[in-house]
Amino acid sequence: MNRLTSLVLKTAVLTIATCGVAFYGVKKNYLEASSHREAPLIAEDPVADNTDVYAFRSPDDPNTVTILADYIPLENPQDGPNYHTFGENVRYEVHIKNNATTKGDDVTYRFTFTQTNEDPTTFFNIRLGKQNLKTTYLCEKSVNGGAFTSIVTGGVVPPNNIGPRSIENPDVGLGKYYEQLMKASIMTASSGEKIFCGPVDDPFFVDLGGIFDLGGVRPGRALDGVACKNTHTIALQIPINMLQKNGQPVSQAKNILDGDYVIGVWASSSRPRIKTLNNEGAKPTVSGDWVQISRLGMPLTNEVIEPIGRKDQYNFHTPYNENPGLDSALSNPELGLYMDDSKFGLYVPGFYPLRIQRASQTVLGPVDFGYGRDGLFPILGNPATIGTALDPAIFGNILLKKGQPRSVDILPIFFTGVPNLAPYQLATGKTPGNPLTAGKPFVNNFLPTLGDMLRLNMATPVTDRHSAAFSSEGLFAAAVSGLTDPQYANTSMQFIPNMDGFPNGRRLEDDVVRIELQAVSGLALAAIGIWYDDWAPGKSPLTPKLLNVVGFTTGVEKNDKPLQDVFPFAAQPHRGTSACGGYSPGKAPDSLGLAMQPAQQSALRLSAPQGFLSQNYPNPFTSATTFTYHLASKAHVTLAVYDLNGKLIKVLVDDTRDAGDYEQTFNPGSLATGTYFGSLKVDGQAVQSVKMNYAK
């Protein structure tokens, strides 16, 4: 057993054998680690740290696009007396590319911030209507590489949402509701854009603790590591004609996938090269050229795709002189090692539903997308590729590379966008087993700059956020509808709900962690007709392996606060005096999903029974399978097996047990092949379920 295998296995065993995170009795900063802090150097400079970029067609005004660039990770709402704010001596920029034939940005927005102490005699941030570290900004705009011109001067940044005495109280505070402060801070630029800069609830959501514990995904007991955290956003709502390369409004688009309406968006921050500290407590002085120290386009590129040795280097590059090696990392992502049973997949059970295709059957022969394999490279130059995106005369030499199996799907998603050409059309209407035949159009955000950007087709209509069809699965939800809903069973160009979702732009609601993990497993390949290994001609493509990937969850699928329906859409920042500002002795924070009855709260504070369930692997199992669970204290345990319809199959345990570790074996007997669930309850509370796939 090599060192990495041993390390992963030991970590998995320790995770199973321990109780995990208690809800009470923990340090206040138990959620402090984050993918937001994506590189060693920028982690030391949080005010300049990009956390997320969003770009979507505005649901409150479809003639505009909304872009949000978030900075400053994991702000605690109670972090006084010096609350988080945009930094001075930092140049924040939002970059837009709309023409692949030009050099550099086609539109750039630049923000610089200034702080004022209105009352330096107090340690409070707000007192008697005055605000310390009151922040204002200058916004400048450059078009087609031209000079920057001012479009907002004296822009207002609302204060942090400190508490009711500081904000609402008219005698000692500002005498305003926080909603009023946010609305008053929305500026209209001289060029017509709406702009908001200020603190908001961080709309990102992810089980940070589980994901970064060597892929320890833990549905049923996952915690949103960004819940109760704020961030600072730069939000712009921009008329589409200002972003379209020829100045055309969206009403002139030829169709809902018009390639002339594709933009690429990324954000950055820069600092002066030289900073001189003053030994008498005065502000430091700065000089020299501006140096870019952080950037972000697609989510999780630097956090997950780039290895630790290149993370700092990534932040100093741009999409126009891309970080060397990033294309190879995208074409052969490390995550593939943990979704492949021939590598380390067996030792990362949280990813078990996500299996890399190793023997996909196509009319062009079996295809292997395993780590370091060739993927579709063997068909390079095949006459069947002529006229498709894989034609060597078009993009075949970029999309088909030896030893880089994901150059055909992960690479274009991050580096070029996806064109409306075969094979990048839905399998609906295609010859089974032949992804190169024409299918149903569902995406075109192709902008071939060969650099990391968030790409959006502004012609694609908006999905109603309150519609039952709206899904945080974004473009994958559109693909599922296009493959299974009879109203889309044709090869016509139709709007399918969620075609405006990630990775065609990024909405605040989109579950990018789940989508990207599913993509690495190969869900995008399946959508275009490269089915999973358990498919064969004549069978339904909805095989157990594909359904496992479609049904995969990390356990955290939405933000902890409802979003706003109007610009800037992000929710108001958490208040420093709310449950998110610390732990009340009588109530757990609702935003963490832990709202409980008083008796349960009391029990949990007294180290109530908690059980965490695991199952032996590999899965599917063919004979007996063993469940492992841990009790923190004496409790009544119920462990049972159910089928997909919730029908009880067998009760394995239903009695009171002392604290400790337990194993329980389940013998399938005459059980039919299929999917089942092992469900654990402790003192009547549902704790966790694990999926079991049984194959005779």
Side-chain angles (χ1 to χ4, degrees), residues 388-426:
T388 74
L390 307 184
D391 187 336
I394 305 179
F395 309 112
N397 291 316
I398 296 174
L399 300 172
L400 301 175
K401 296 179 181 179
K402 185 173 180 58
Q404 299 184 36
R406 314 312 296 276
S407 59
V408 75
D409 62 329
I410 304 298
L411 179 69
I413 289 172
F414 281 75
F415 255 36
T416 66
V418 181
N420 180 25
L421 287 172
Y424 302 114
Q425 295 168 334
L426 286 180

mmCIF file of all heavy atoms in Angstrom, residues 388-426:
data_model
loop_
_atom_site.group_PDB
_atom_site.id
_atom_site.type_symbol
_atom_site.label_atom_id
_atom_site.label_comp_id
_atom_site.label_asym_id
_atom_site.label_seq_id
_atom_site.Cartn_x
_atom_site.Cartn_y
_atom_site.Cartn_z
ATOM 1 N N THR A 388 -17.892 18.399 -37.106
ATOM 2 C CA THR A 388 -18.205 18.552 -35.687
ATOM 3 C C THR A 388 -17.143 19.424 -35.025
ATOM 4 O O THR A 388 -16.132 19.778 -35.638
ATOM 5 C CB THR A 388 -18.256 17.186 -34.973
ATOM 6 O OG1 THR A 388 -16.912 16.690 -34.810
ATOM 7 C CG2 THR A 388 -19.085 16.174 -35.759
ATOM 8 N N ALA A 389 -17.339 19.730 -33.754
ATOM 9 C CA ALA A 389 -16.338 20.508 -33.021
ATOM 10 C C ALA A 389 -15.026 19.749 -32.876
ATOM 11 O O ALA A 389 -13.983 20.358 -32.625
ATOM 12 C CB ALA A 389 -16.876 20.874 -31.636
ATOM 13 N N LEU A 390 -15.064 18.417 -33.076
ATOM 14 C CA LEU A 390 -13.869 17.589 -32.933
ATOM 15 C C LEU A 390 -13.116 17.411 -34.242
ATOM 16 O O LEU A 390 -12.114 16.691 -34.299
ATOM 17 C CB LEU A 390 -14.255 16.215 -32.371
ATOM 18 C CG LEU A 390 -15.070 16.231 -31.072
ATOM 19 C CD1 LEU A 390 -15.309 14.820 -30.568
ATOM 20 C CD2 LEU A 390 -14.387 17.075 -30.008
ATOM 21 N N ASP A 391 -13.567 18.084 -35.279
ATOM 22 C CA ASP A 391 -12.879 18.084 -36.573
ATOM 23 C C ASP A 391 -11.500 18.726 -36.395
ATOM 24 O O ASP A 391 -11.390 19.829 -35.852
ATOM 25 C CB ASP A 391 -13.717 18.889 -37.568
ATOM 26 C CG ASP A 391 -13.195 18.822 -38.996
ATOM 27 O OD1 ASP A 391 -11.986 18.568 -39.186
ATOM 28 O OD2 ASP A 391 -13.997 19.052 -39.917
ATOM 29 N N PRO A 392 -10.399 18.065 -36.834
ATOM 30 C CA PRO A 392 -9.070 18.678 -36.706
ATOM 31 C C PRO A 392 -8.964 20.043 -37.366
ATOM 32 O O PRO A 392 -8.154 20.876 -36.946
ATOM 33 C CB PRO A 392 -8.147 17.658 -37.377
ATOM 34 C CG PRO A 392 -8.889 16.366 -37.313
ATOM 35 C CD PRO A 392 -10.341 16.715 -37.419
ATOM 36 N N ALA A 393 -9.803 20.277 -38.358
ATOM 37 C CA ALA A 393 -9.782 21.576 -39.025
ATOM 38 C C ALA A 393 -10.521 22.636 -38.217
ATOM 39 O O ALA A 393 -10.446 23.826 -38.552
ATOM 40 C CB ALA A 393 -10.408 21.456 -40.422
ATOM 41 N N ILE A 394 -11.217 22.231 -37.186
ATOM 42 C CA ILE A 394 -11.944 23.192 -36.343
ATOM 43 C C ILE A 394 -11.261 23.252 -34.973
ATOM 44 O O ILE A 394 -10.332 24.023 -34.774
ATOM 45 C CB ILE A 394 -13.443 22.822 -36.245
ATOM 46 C CG1 ILE A 394 -14.040 22.714 -37.670
ATOM 47 C CG2 ILE A 394 -14.219 23.867 -35.450
ATOM 48 C CD1 ILE A 394 -15.511 22.322 -37.695
ATOM 49 N N PHE A 395 -11.672 22.403 -34.017
ATOM 50 C CA PHE A 395 -11.077 22.461 -32.670
ATOM 51 C C PHE A 395 -10.544 21.111 -32.202
ATOM 52 O O PHE A 395 -10.208 20.950 -31.034
ATOM 53 C CB PHE A 395 -12.114 22.973 -31.656
ATOM 54 C CG PHE A 395 -12.798 24.239 -32.074
ATOM 55 C CD1 PHE A 395 -14.138 24.245 -32.390
ATOM 56 C CD2 PHE A 395 -12.086 25.431 -32.181
ATOM 57 C CE1 PHE A 395 -14.776 25.406 -32.792
ATOM 58 C CE2 PHE A 395 -12.712 26.594 -32.586
ATOM 59 C CZ PHE A 395 -14.063 26.586 -32.894
ATOM 60 N N GLY A 396 -10.498 20.145 -33.104
ATOM 61 C CA GLY A 396 -10.122 18.795 -32.711
ATOM 62 C C GLY A 396 -8.777 18.692 -32.028
ATOM 63 O O GLY A 396 -8.601 17.908 -31.089
ATOM 64 N N ASN A 397 -7.807 19.478 -32.466
ATOM 65 C CA ASN A 397 -6.468 19.387 -31.878
ATOM 66 C C ASN A 397 -6.405 19.977 -30.465
ATOM 67 O O ASN A 397 -5.462 19.692 -29.720
ATOM 68 C CB ASN A 397 -5.450 20.087 -32.774
ATOM 69 C CG ASN A 397 -5.237 19.347 -34.080
ATOM 70 O OD1 ASN A 397 -5.112 18.125 -34.082
ATOM 71 N ND2 ASN A 397 -5.229 20.071 -35.196
ATOM 72 N N ILE A 398 -7.396 20.796 -30.115
ATOM 73 C CA ILE A 398 -7.475 21.335 -28.751
ATOM 74 C C ILE A 398 -8.269 20.398 -27.854
ATOM 75 O O ILE A 398 -7.912 20.176 -26.694
ATOM 76 C CB ILE A 398 -8.132 22.734 -28.761
ATOM 77 C CG1 ILE A 398 -7.263 23.723 -29.535
ATOM 78 C CG2 ILE A 398 -8.377 23.241 -27.346
ATOM 79 C CD1 ILE A 398 -7.912 25.083 -29.720
ATOM 80 N N LEU A 399 -9.322 19.814 -28.400
ATOM 81 C CA LEU A 399 -10.270 19.052 -27.601
ATOM 82 C C LEU A 399 -9.934 17.574 -27.487
ATOM 83 O O LEU A 399 -10.527 16.873 -26.658
ATOM 84 C CB LEU A 399 -11.678 19.206 -28.194
ATOM 85 C CG LEU A 399 -12.209 20.648 -28.246
ATOM 86 C CD1 LEU A 399 -13.512 20.711 -29.028
ATOM 87 C CD2 LEU A 399 -12.400 21.202 -26.845
ATOM 88 N N LEU A 400 -9.015 17.093 -28.294
ATOM 89 C CA LEU A 400 -8.646 15.680 -28.264
ATOM 90 C C LEU A 400 -7.135 15.583 -28.087
ATOM 91 O O LEU A 400 -6.368 15.870 -29.006
ATOM 92 C CB LEU A 400 -9.071 14.983 -29.560
ATOM 93 C CG LEU A 400 -10.577 15.035 -29.891
ATOM 94 C CD1 LEU A 400 -10.847 14.413 -31.248
ATOM 95 C CD2 LEU A 400 -11.388 14.330 -28.811
ATOM 96 N N LYS A 401 -6.711 15.186 -26.876
ATOM 97 C CA LYS A 401 -5.284 15.136 -26.563
ATOM 98 C C LYS A 401 -4.956 13.803 -25.907
ATOM 99 O O LYS A 401 -5.681 13.338 -25.017
ATOM 100 C CB LYS A 401 -4.899 16.286 -25.616
ATOM 101 C CG LYS A 401 -5.081 17.667 -26.224
ATOM 102 C CD LYS A 401 -4.702 18.750 -25.218
ATOM 103 C CE LYS A 401 -4.893 20.145 -25.793
ATOM 104 N NZ LYS A 401 -4.554 21.197 -24.804
ATOM 105 N N LYS A 402 -3.859 13.216 -26.307
ATOM 106 C CA LYS A 402 -3.420 11.937 -25.768
ATOM 107 C C LYS A 402 -3.056 12.083 -24.288
ATOM 108 O O LYS A 402 -2.358 13.023 -23.894
ATOM 109 C CB LYS A 402 -2.217 11.408 -26.549
ATOM 110 C CG LYS A 402 -1.762 10.011 -26.123
ATOM 111 C CD LYS A 402 -0.679 9.476 -27.028
ATOM 112 C CE LYS A 402 -0.242 8.091 -26.580
ATOM 113 N NZ LYS A 402 -1.362 7.126 -26.561
ATOM 114 N N GLY A 403 -3.543 11.139 -23.486
ATOM 115 C CA GLY A 403 -3.232 11.147 -22.063
ATOM 116 C C GLY A 403 -3.939 12.229 -21.279
ATOM 117 O O GLY A 403 -3.658 12.411 -20.097
ATOM 118 N N GLN A 404 -4.865 12.952 -21.923
ATOM 119 C CA GLN A 404 -5.617 14.021 -21.260
ATOM 120 C C GLN A 404 -7.107 13.805 -21.549
ATOM 121 O O GLN A 404 -7.694 14.476 -22.397
ATOM 122 C CB GLN A 404 -5.142 15.397 -21.733
ATOM 123 C CG GLN A 404 -3.667 15.644 -21.409
ATOM 124 C CD GLN A 404 -3.221 17.037 -21.791
ATOM 125 O OE1 GLN A 404 -3.971 17.996 -21.668
ATOM 126 N NE2 GLN A 404 -1.980 17.146 -22.244
ATOM 127 N N PRO A 405 -7.707 12.862 -20.836
ATOM 128 C CA PRO A 405 -9.049 12.394 -21.204
ATOM 129 C C PRO A 405 -10.142 13.435 -21.105
ATOM 130 O O PRO A 405 -11.148 13.334 -21.801
ATOM 131 C CB PRO A 405 -9.285 11.252 -20.208
ATOM 132 C CG PRO A 405 -8.396 11.572 -19.041
ATOM 133 C CD PRO A 405 -7.175 12.193 -19.650
ATOM 134 N N ARG A 406 -9.954 14.459 -20.275
ATOM 135 C CA ARG A 406 -11.041 15.427 -20.076
ATOM 136 C C ARG A 406 -10.843 16.693 -20.887
ATOM 137 O O ARG A 406 -11.513 17.702 -20.658
ATOM 138 C CB ARG A 406 -11.184 15.749 -18.592
ATOM 139 C CG ARG A 406 -11.178 14.536 -17.694
ATOM 140 C CD ARG A 406 -12.117 13.411 -18.174
ATOM 141 N NE ARG A 406 -13.490 13.791 -18.176
ATOM 142 C CZ ARG A 406 -14.285 13.733 -17.111
ATOM 143 N NH1 ARG A 406 -13.805 13.280 -15.967
ATOM 144 N NH2 ARG A 406 -15.538 14.102 -17.190
ATOM 145 N N SER A 407 -9.927 16.638 -21.855
ATOM 146 C CA SER A 407 -9.773 17.772 -22.779
ATOM 147 C C SER A 407 -11.020 17.962 -23.623
ATOM 148 O O SER A 407 -11.212 19.025 -24.217
ATOM 149 C CB SER A 407 -8.557 17.568 -23.677
ATOM 150 O OG SER A 407 -8.670 16.374 -24.429
ATOM 151 N N VAL A 408 -11.884 16.952 -23.674
ATOM 152 C CA VAL A 408 -13.079 17.037 -24.502
ATOM 153 C C VAL A 408 -14.266 17.646 -23.757
ATOM 154 O O VAL A 408 -15.217 18.093 -24.383
ATOM 155 C CB VAL A 408 -13.462 15.639 -25.045
ATOM 156 C CG1 VAL A 408 -14.089 14.770 -23.949
ATOM 157 C CG2 VAL A 408 -14.383 15.744 -26.245
ATOM 158 N N ASP A 409 -14.225 17.693 -22.399
ATOM 159 C CA ASP A 409 -15.386 18.244 -21.683
ATOM 160 C C ASP A 409 -14.999 19.247 -20.595
ATOM 161 O O ASP A 409 -15.430 20.400 -20.631
ATOM 162 C CB ASP A 409 -16.269 17.128 -21.115
ATOM 163 C CG ASP A 409 -15.555 16.256 -20.090
ATOM 164 O OD1 ASP A 409 -14.335 16.081 -20.204
ATOM 165 O OD2 ASP A 409 -16.222 15.728 -19.178
ATOM 166 N N ILE A 410 -14.153 18.865 -19.628
ATOM 167 C CA ILE A 410 -13.816 19.797 -18.554
ATOM 168 C C ILE A 410 -13.031 20.988 -19.097
ATOM 169 O O ILE A 410 -13.279 22.143 -18.726
ATOM 170 C CB ILE A 410 -13.008 19.093 -17.442
ATOM 171 C CG1 ILE A 410 -13.787 17.886 -16.903
ATOM 172 C CG2 ILE A 410 -12.689 20.066 -16.321
ATOM 173 C CD1 ILE A 410 -15.093 18.232 -16.266
ATOM 174 N N LEU A 411 -12.078 20.743 -19.977
ATOM 175 C CA LEU A 411 -11.275 21.843 -20.540
ATOM 176 C C LEU A 411 -12.138 22.892 -21.236
ATOM 177 O O LEU A 411 -12.021 24.083 -20.932
ATOM 178 C CB LEU A 411 -10.214 21.297 -21.488
ATOM 179 C CG LEU A 411 -9.334 22.364 -22.146
ATOM 180 C CD1 LEU A 411 -8.413 23.014 -21.130
ATOM 181 C CD2 LEU A 411 -8.516 21.764 -23.291
ATOM 182 N N PRO A 412 -13.017 22.522 -22.184
ATOM 183 C CA PRO A 412 -13.812 23.590 -22.823
ATOM 184 C C PRO A 412 -14.759 24.304 -21.869
ATOM 185 O O PRO A 412 -15.018 25.501 -22.046
ATOM 186 C CB PRO A 412 -14.581 22.844 -23.918
ATOM 187 C CG PRO A 412 -14.534 21.410 -23.546
ATOM 188 C CD PRO A 412 -13.240 21.221 -22.821
ATOM 189 N N ILE A 413 -15.278 23.616 -20.863
ATOM 190 C CA ILE A 413 -16.177 24.280 -19.919
ATOM 191 C C ILE A 413 -15.467 25.455 -19.252
ATOM 192 O O ILE A 413 -16.053 26.524 -19.045
ATOM 193 C CB ILE A 413 -16.696 23.274 -18.875
ATOM 194 C CG1 ILE A 413 -17.689 22.301 -19.524
ATOM 195 C CG2 ILE A 413 -17.362 23.996 -17.705
ATOM 196 C CD1 ILE A 413 -18.106 21.150 -18.621
ATOM 197 N N PHE A 414 -14.179 25.293 -18.933
ATOM 198 C CA PHE A 414 -13.421 26.328 -18.235
ATOM 199 C C PHE A 414 -12.671 27.270 -19.179
ATOM 200 O O PHE A 414 -12.468 28.437 -18.839
ATOM 201 C CB PHE A 414 -12.396 25.679 -17.294
ATOM 202 C CG PHE A 414 -12.967 25.171 -16.007
ATOM 203 C CD1 PHE A 414 -13.717 24.010 -15.970
ATOM 204 C CD2 PHE A 414 -12.764 25.854 -14.824
ATOM 205 C CE1 PHE A 414 -14.242 23.526 -14.782
ATOM 206 C CE2 PHE A 414 -13.283 25.383 -13.629
ATOM 207 C CZ PHE A 414 -14.020 24.215 -13.615
ATOM 208 N N PHE A 415 -12.246 26.787 -20.328
ATOM 209 C CA PHE A 415 -11.275 27.525 -21.145
ATOM 210 C C PHE A 415 -11.835 28.152 -22.417
ATOM 211 O O PHE A 415 -11.264 29.104 -22.930
ATOM 212 C CB PHE A 415 -10.128 26.581 -21.527
ATOM 213 C CG PHE A 415 -8.863 26.817 -20.755
ATOM 214 C CD1 PHE A 415 -8.893 27.190 -19.422
ATOM 215 C CD2 PHE A 415 -7.623 26.672 -21.356
ATOM 216 C CE1 PHE A 415 -7.722 27.396 -18.705
ATOM 217 C CE2 PHE A 415 -6.449 26.887 -20.647
ATOM 218 C CZ PHE A 415 -6.504 27.247 -19.321
ATOM 219 N N THR A 416 -12.914 27.602 -22.951
ATOM 220 C CA THR A 416 -13.438 28.108 -24.224
ATOM 221 C C THR A 416 -14.936 28.345 -24.200
ATOM 222 O O THR A 416 -15.458 29.080 -25.033
ATOM 223 C CB THR A 416 -13.143 27.118 -25.374
ATOM 224 O OG1 THR A 416 -13.868 25.900 -25.161
ATOM 225 C CG2 THR A 416 -11.654 26.810 -25.478
ATOM 226 N N GLY A 417 -15.633 27.735 -23.269
ATOM 227 C CA GLY A 417 -17.069 27.649 -23.383
ATOM 228 C C GLY A 417 -17.425 26.520 -24.339
ATOM 229 O O GLY A 417 -16.561 25.914 -24.982
ATOM 230 N N VAL A 418 -18.717 26.225 -24.435
ATOM 231 C CA VAL A 418 -19.183 25.077 -25.216
ATOM 232 C C VAL A 418 -19.957 25.570 -26.434
ATOM 233 O O VAL A 418 -20.905 26.341 -26.295
ATOM 234 C CB VAL A 418 -20.079 24.172 -24.348
ATOM 235 C CG1 VAL A 418 -20.546 22.963 -25.143
ATOM 236 C CG2 VAL A 418 -19.318 23.726 -23.094
ATOM 237 N N PRO A 419 -19.578 25.138 -27.650
ATOM 238 C CA PRO A 419 -20.279 25.602 -28.855
ATOM 239 C C PRO A 419 -21.527 24.779 -29.145
ATOM 240 O O PRO A 419 -21.652 23.635 -28.690
ATOM 241 C CB PRO A 419 -19.231 25.374 -29.948
ATOM 242 C CG PRO A 419 -18.465 24.171 -29.476
ATOM 243 C CD PRO A 419 -18.415 24.285 -27.965
ATOM 244 N N ASN A 420 -22.435 25.344 -29.891
ATOM 245 C CA ASN A 420 -23.620 24.614 -30.355
ATOM 246 C C ASN A 420 -23.256 23.820 -31.606
ATOM 247 O O ASN A 420 -23.701 24.109 -32.707
ATOM 248 C CB ASN A 420 -24.771 25.585 -30.638
ATOM 249 C CG ASN A 420 -26.019 24.855 -31.131
ATOM 250 O OD1 ASN A 420 -26.205 23.668 -30.849
ATOM 251 N ND2 ASN A 420 -26.860 25.557 -31.878
ATOM 252 N N LEU A 421 -22.393 22.847 -31.425
ATOM 253 C CA LEU A 421 -21.969 21.943 -32.485
ATOM 254 C C LEU A 421 -21.940 20.534 -31.915
ATOM 255 O O LEU A 421 -21.699 20.342 -30.722
ATOM 256 C CB LEU A 421 -20.559 22.293 -32.982
ATOM 257 C CG LEU A 421 -20.357 23.538 -33.842
ATOM 258 C CD1 LEU A 421 -18.869 23.785 -34.055
ATOM 259 C CD2 LEU A 421 -21.066 23.375 -35.187
ATOM 260 N N ALA A 422 -22.170 19.541 -32.779
ATOM 261 C CA ALA A 422 -21.949 18.168 -32.344
ATOM 262 C C ALA A 422 -20.468 18.023 -31.979
ATOM 263 O O ALA A 422 -19.607 18.628 -32.625
ATOM 264 C CB ALA A 422 -22.330 17.200 -33.456
ATOM 265 N N PRO A 423 -20.128 17.276 -30.917
ATOM 266 C CA PRO A 423 -21.029 16.437 -30.112
ATOM 267 C C PRO A 423 -21.700 17.163 -28.957
ATOM 268 O O PRO A 423 -22.380 16.533 -28.158
ATOM 269 C CB PRO A 423 -20.068 15.379 -29.564
ATOM 270 C CG PRO A 423 -18.796 16.129 -29.353
ATOM 271 C CD PRO A 423 -18.711 17.080 -30.514
ATOM 272 N N TYR A 424 -21.535 18.502 -28.850
ATOM 273 C CA TYR A 424 -22.016 19.232 -27.668
ATOM 274 C C TYR A 424 -23.481 19.624 -27.797
ATOM 275 O O TYR A 424 -23.865 20.781 -27.613
ATOM 276 C CB TYR A 424 -21.137 20.450 -27.426
ATOM 277 C CG TYR A 424 -19.684 20.092 -27.226
ATOM 278 C CD1 TYR A 424 -18.720 20.479 -28.157
ATOM 279 C CD2 TYR A 424 -19.280 19.341 -26.133
ATOM 280 C CE1 TYR A 424 -17.385 20.142 -27.987
ATOM 281 C CE2 TYR A 424 -17.948 18.988 -25.953
ATOM 282 C CZ TYR A 424 -17.007 19.393 -26.882
ATOM 283 O OH TYR A 424 -15.699 19.044 -26.711
ATOM 284 N N GLN A 425 -24.309 18.625 -28.124
ATOM 285 C CA GLN A 425 -25.756 18.771 -28.141
ATOM 286 C C GLN A 425 -26.342 17.605 -27.374
ATOM 287 O O GLN A 425 -25.717 16.541 -27.271
ATOM 288 C CB GLN A 425 -26.271 18.807 -29.591
ATOM 289 C CG GLN A 425 -25.782 20.029 -30.363
ATOM 290 C CD GLN A 425 -26.045 19.926 -31.862
ATOM 291 O OE1 GLN A 425 -26.142 18.828 -32.404
ATOM 292 N NE2 GLN A 425 -26.143 21.065 -32.528
ATOM 293 N N LEU A 426 -27.532 17.780 -26.836
ATOM 294 C CA LEU A 426 -28.132 16.720 -26.042
ATOM 295 C C LEU A 426 -28.306 15.449 -26.862
ATOM 296 O O LEU A 426 -28.503 15.492 -28.083
ATOM 297 C CB LEU A 426 -29.482 17.171 -25.500
ATOM 298 C CG LEU A 426 -29.462 18.190 -24.354
ATOM 299 C CD1 LEU A 426 -30.886 18.537 -23.939
ATOM 300 C CD2 LEU A 426 -28.679 17.669 -23.163
#
